[in-house]
Amino acid sequence: MSIKRIFHDPIHKEIVFDSGKPEELMIMELIDTIAFQRLRRIKQLGAASLLFHGAESSRFTHSIGVFCIARKIYKKLIEGKSSFCENKFVLYGAALLHDLGHGPLSHTSEAIFDHNHERWSQNLVKNYSPINLILKKYDNELPRLIGELFESKQLFSNPLKTLISSEIDCDRLDYLLRDSYNTGTKYGLVDLERIISGLTFAPDGNIAIKPKGVIAIEHFLVLRNLMYRTIYNHRINEISSWILEKIIFTIKNNYEKKIWLDKSLYKWIFSPAKVDFDDFIRNDDITFYYHLIRWKDESFEPLSTLCKMFIDRDLLKASDISFLSKIDRLEILAFARKLCEENNYDSEIFCGIKERSFKGFESNNALKIWDGAYQNSLENSSALIKTLMKSEEISFIVYPGVIKNEIKNQISLIRNNS
């Protein structure tokens, strides 16, 4: 007897799974695994909820959304190429499991731990038996085929790679819509249906976009640029990451002071190569926050203060110094560190320069335009897209709030004298 399960999603509305369809039964079984349920306890936007109070959604909801988009695209593509149906199980499995390897607070964990979520997603798919056995039940090659899609190396002319990991893939299509909704911004309102309706196959076998879909792609890429500038690389996110990095740095350099750590997080911090599947699954946002709260109340300085800053949202300050020359940035850093010491703050911990880069659109990892006769790159057909290929770098000076006025005045003085 066929069983249907419905997820009521704020972005895609009703997402229905039908156990009478083998590929969807596989997805239902994967969703019920401990490793996938763990994603409910991993925030999609990490510490961004300290800035955008609605940014509380999880990697679980995002992963369900990515699957939903992949299924829609699959149904569109087989209309023009029925043989693409042989990729159904690989596409559905990869779309659902692509973020399985994320650590606490999502991408933030990559900055504070020696962690790579893509490698861990691949490891879980290939070697974690509860996932691996479900996949092999439907096709013995599924773990290998899905795992290959999570590798960072380019796989040119591979339509599955295009859909799972490219400049315009199912992942990005969902997270721009979802993150825009949850942060209360309007930048990420992607014209999803228009993009899907414009997809086709090019002669080289890869997925392409018809000319009618190019404006929707331009819109998508502009929105992505705005989302990075206003949300993902926001100053508060950079400050939060700085504090968490310094918390882990302080623990690594002061472990002789008998800091409380459970066995799993100990491995994450001190011996990441020894983290096994049990250690991985145990460490999520809840576990990590519990440690932060304990360290806030029971540890030494400066660890206690750093944890208090993060937990109580009494954050450090940061000012944009991207417009300054490298010499001027070092000058403001020296000035800030001197003020830190004068105010009894460890200048190595509470002060520094935080740099972040945003990669522009990369043409070699994106859709091409196919009009039925000629194939062309997006940037050669759109002056707007060509302007979005430029990478950007942001530089902040991070410092305690008590020296905020002095720092701002010094930045203005240096800027006026340049």
Side-chain angles (χ1 to χ4, degrees):
M1 177 180 170
S2 176
I3 297 174
K4 290 187 177 180
R5 187 186 298 182
I6 301 174
F7 286 81
H8 295 280
D9 187 82
I11 307 302
H12 306 295
K13 309 312 175 187
E14 281 194 352
I15 303 175
V16 182
F17 297 89
D18 185 353
S19 66
K21 299 175 181 178
E23 67 278 9
E24 295 189 13
L25 176 60
M26 178 188 77
I27 295 300
M28 293 166 72
E29 292 173 350
L30 290 169
I31 288 172
D32 287 338
T33 61
I34 292 172
F36 193 81
Q37 290 294 317
R38 170 184 173 273
L39 295 180
R40 292 181 184 272
R41 305 187 299 278
I42 303 291
K43 283 186 180 179
Q44 165 77 2
L45 285 171
S49 59
L50 294 177
L51 173 64
F52 302 98
H53 67 271
E56 297 283 352
S57 67
S58 68
R59 286 282 156 183
F60 181 94
T61 59
H62 166 59
S63 297
I64 298 289
V66 175
F67 163 79
C68 178
I69 291 175
R71 183 169 61 181
K72 287 182 179 181
I73 291 175
Y74 167 81
K75 290 178 178 179
K76 169 64 174 66
L77 291 174
I78 61 169
E79 292 175 4
K81 187 177 181 181
S82 59
S83 62
F84 188 67
C85 67
E86 66 187 21
N87 296 302
K88 186 191 298 186
F89 283 87
V90 180
L91 175 61
Y92 284 12
L96 185 79
L97 302 175
H98 76 287
D99 273 349
L100 200 62
H102 267 294
L105 298 175
S106 292
H107 289 287
T108 306
S109 66
E110 315 228 347
I112 63 177
F113 302 112
D114 182 11
H115 184 73
N116 182 301
H117 84 274
E118 291 174 332
R119 281 202 296 264
W120 263 98
S121 293
Q122 184 183 58
N123 187 20
L124 287 159
V125 165
K126 286 186 172 182
N127 303 309
Y128 178 62
S129 58
I131 297 286
N132 185 277
L133 292 175
I134 291 172
L135 295 173
K136 285 187 173 181
K137 186 166 63 173
Y138 294 91
D139 185 334
N140 204 50
E141 290 297 305
L142 272 182
R144 179 184 64 81
L145 294 171
I146 292 173
E148 286 177 354
L149 294 176
F150 298 156
E151 293 177 1
S152 57
K153 67 180 181 180
Q154 303 294 332
L155 296 175
F156 295 108
S157 297
N158 183 335
L160 291 175
K161 184 70 172 179
T162 300
L163 293 176
I164 297 301
S165 182
S166 69
E167 287 288 284
I168 306 163
D169 58 19
C170 300
D171 178 30
R172 287 167 170 80
L173 288 169
D174 183 82
Y175 76 58
L176 288 182
L177 286 165
R178 193 170 302 278
D179 296 348
S180 176
Y181 175 87
N182 288 314
T183 57
T185 60
K186 302 296 182 184
Y187 305 119
L189 299 181
V190 176
D191 191 351
L192 179 62
E193 301 307 321
R194 185 68 171 175
I195 291 175
I196 293 176
S197 71
L199 295 176
T200 186
F201 282 99
D204 63 3
N206 207 349
I207 298 169
I209 191 81
K210 298 174 185 176
K212 71 174 185 177
V214 172
I215 290 179
I217 295 295
E218 288 178 330
H219 183 228
F220 165 84
L221 292 173
V222 169
L223 296 179
R224 178 172 171 262
N225 183 283
L226 291 172
M227 290 287 281
Y228 269 90
R229 286 162 54 192
T230 58
I231 297 174
Y232 305 133
N233 289 349
H234 193 281
R235 175 175 51 87
I236 298 299
N237 280 339
E238 297 305 317
I239 294 170
S240 300
S241 293
W242 174 278
I243 292 172
L244 292 171
E245 287 173 33
K246 293 303 179 183
I247 286 172
I248 302 302
F249 172 83
T250 301
I251 290 171
K252 284 183 175 179
N253 288 276
N254 292 276
Y255 191 66
E256 74 280 357
K257 295 186 178 180
K258 300 188 184 300
I259 304 161
W260 181 84
L261 268 173
D262 71 15
K263 292 180 180 179
S264 295
L265 190 57
Y266 176 90
K267 288 184 185 178
W268 273 75
I269 295 174
F270 290 100
S271 52
K274 295 181 180 179
V275 172
D276 59 25
F277 292 127
D278 185 58
D279 297 320
F280 174 82
I281 289 171
R282 285 176 182 274
N283 197 16
D284 54 32
D285 287 8
I286 294 172
T287 300
F288 188 54
Y289 269 81
Y290 176 68
H291 280 78
L292 293 176
I293 292 169
R294 291 226 16 198
W295 296 334
K296 175 175 80 81
D297 296 332
E298 301 175 9
S299 67
F300 54 88
E301 293 297 345
L303 181 58
S304 178
T305 295
L306 287 167
C307 292
K308 185 177 186 340
M309 284 180 167
F310 186 83
I311 293 296
D312 297 342
R313 203 196 178 281
D314 183 15
L315 304 173
L316 294 166
K317 304 299 180 183
S319 297
D320 188 353
I321 55 172
S322 307
F323 54 86
L324 297 178
S325 69
K326 290 188 176 180
I327 291 177
D328 287 340
R329 292 178 196 179
L330 292 175
E331 181 180 334
I332 197 68
L333 175 61
F335 178 79
R337 284 186 166 169
K338 183 182 179 198
L339 288 177
C340 272
E341 298 295 343
E342 290 174 359
N343 285 272
N344 299 314
Y345 284 96
D346 184 336
S347 61
E348 292 293 325
I349 298 293
F350 295 98
C351 180
I353 292 176
K354 176 90 170 153
E355 295 181 328
R356 185 73 177 265
S357 63
F358 165 62
K359 289 184 178 180
F361 171 70
E362 296 181 350
S363 175
N364 65 345
N365 190 29
L367 298 171
K368 299 292 188 290
I369 301 172
W370 173 246
D371 64 4
Y374 298 100
Q375 182 170 295
N376 203 354
S377 64
L378 284 166
E379 73 274 12
N380 287 337
S381 302
S382 168
L384 175 58
I385 290 177
K386 186 172 285 188
T387 66
L388 296 172
M389 298 179 74
K390 182 181 178 182
S391 296
E392 298 178 18
E393 291 188 357
I394 306 171
S395 185
F396 292 104
I397 178 75
V398 180
Y399 53 87
V402 295
I403 62 173
K404 178 180 178 179
N405 292 334
E406 293 96 323
I407 295 295
K408 285 186 172 287
N409 290 338
Q410 186 68 11
I411 290 173
S412 296
L413 182 64
I414 293 175
R415 188 174 194 176
N416 292 335
N417 291 335
S418 298

